[in-house]
Amino acid sequence: MTVDFAARLQVVVARIRSAEMRFGRPSGSVGLVAVSKTHPAADIAAVAAAGQRGFGENYWQEAAAKLPALVALDLEWHFIGPLQANKTRSIAEQFAWVHSVDRLKIAERLSQQRPTALPPLKVCLQVNVSGEPSKHGLDASDLPIVAHAVAVLPRLRLCGLMAIPAPATDFAAQRRPFARLRELQKALIADGLALDTLSMGMSDDLEAAIAEGSTLVRIGTAIFGARA
Ligand SMILES: *Cc1c(COP(=O)(O)O)cnc(C)c1O
């Protein structure tokens, strides 16, 4: 069975535009990262042919296997997965964005390793808004010090914050952690940082994220289908 990726992409874009309208956000103010982890290069090419340019990957090895087949398409790559120190060079060379920076040491490596021929690497700090001890992301209490330190690294541009809240089914519960991330961003802006990005919202909670100010949603399943 062939999958109609263009139709799926259209449904997701319509959900985004409709949530923008419903929550009083300017049309086009929410960007879309298509999360292609576990899906083959051919599917990424099909989604790109339908008009999508930004794609997200979680694992360097997997991305490295797919990227060569896609270089001609001039896609914008977003790294959204856990960061290991020994993979930062490849990520700094191949990606336009890293959403999952969760410690200063990793940010320093990315800045040192970002090639000077490329524009600064855009980064978000990942925050553990649900307060789950096992989860990735900075504690909110550590965020201000780390944010100010990352903001001055020469080869990075600190754009904003990212979160992956624990799944919740009702809308009010989905909104709460996103509202928390927005408040954290507001405090950093009041403290002098020029942040314009909130990377939040996935297939099941993108409306709640847009209601709370998301500027980039990261959508996998609703575009590519279920992961094995
Ligand atoms: C997998 C993943 C997504 C996409 O999740 P879906 O529920 O499939 O839309 C978004 N963000 C991150 C960080 C992910 O790992």
Side-chain angles (χ1 to χ4, degrees):
M1 193 189 76
T2 61
V3 178
D4 190 345
F5 288 110
R8 284 195 189 155
L9 182 65
Q10 226 169 46
V11 168
V12 168
V13 171
R15 277 177 68 189
I16 294 170
R17 295 288 98 83
S18 137
E20 285 172 343
M21 203 178 303
R22 178 169 157 212
F23 298 105
R25 305 282 311 279
S27 182
S29 58
V30 181
L32 169 61
V33 176
V35 177
S36 44
K37 63 169 179 249
T38 77
H39 298 286
D43 291 4
I44 298 173
V47 173
Q52 177 63 22
R53 177 146 187 274
F55 289 86
E57 287 282 341
N58 291 57
Y59 305 102
W60 165 249
Q61 288 91 333
E62 187 196 334
K66 294 190 269 188
L67 259 49
L70 299 163
V71 279
L73 298 181
D74 190 30
L75 304 178
E76 179 182 77
W77 289 100
H78 296 244
F79 193 85
I80 62 171
L83 287 155
Q84 296 167 266
N86 63 348
K87 301 295 184 323
T88 51
R89 181 176 299 280
S90 307
I91 292 166
E93 290 172 354
Q94 306 277 338
F95 283 73
W97 283 78
V98 177
H99 294 230
S100 44
V101 174
D102 62 354
R103 53 205 192 275
L104 180 57
K105 190 157 166 280
I106 287 286
E108 288 169 342
R109 289 179 68 92
L110 288 169
S111 181
Q112 279 157 11
Q113 295 167 342
R114 178 67 167 176
T116 49
L118 296 176
L121 182 65
K122 295 180 177 180
V123 302
C124 292
L125 294 175
Q126 182 173 350
V127 185
N128 180 2
V129 277
S130 307
E132 295 162 278
S134 63
K135 284 284 151 79
H136 292 279
L138 286 154
D139 284 342
S141 57
D142 297 328
L143 180 61
I145 286 177
V146 176
H148 283 274
V150 171
V152 298
L153 293 174
R155 302 293 299 138
L156 303 187
R157 181 150 93 74
L158 177 61
C159 294
L161 305 179
M162 179 272 228
I164 313 171
T169 45
D170 84 275
F171 195 64
Q174 286 182 348
R175 283 182 70 154
R176 274 192 291 274
F178 294 137
R180 173 113 177 91
L181 197 70
R182 172 170 48 75
E183 289 302 322
L184 292 169
Q185 188 195 34
K186 204 171 134 195
L188 293 174
I189 292 170
D191 216 15
L193 295 181
L195 307 180
D196 60 10
T197 301
L198 283 172
S199 168
M200 54 189 203
M202 316 204 308
S203 293
D204 291 333
D205 57 13
L206 74 89
E207 283 83 4
I210 291 172
E212 295 298 346
S214 173
T215 64
L216 269 184
V217 292
R218 309 177 311 269
I219 308 300
T221 309
I223 296 171
F224 288 100
R227 291 180 289 273

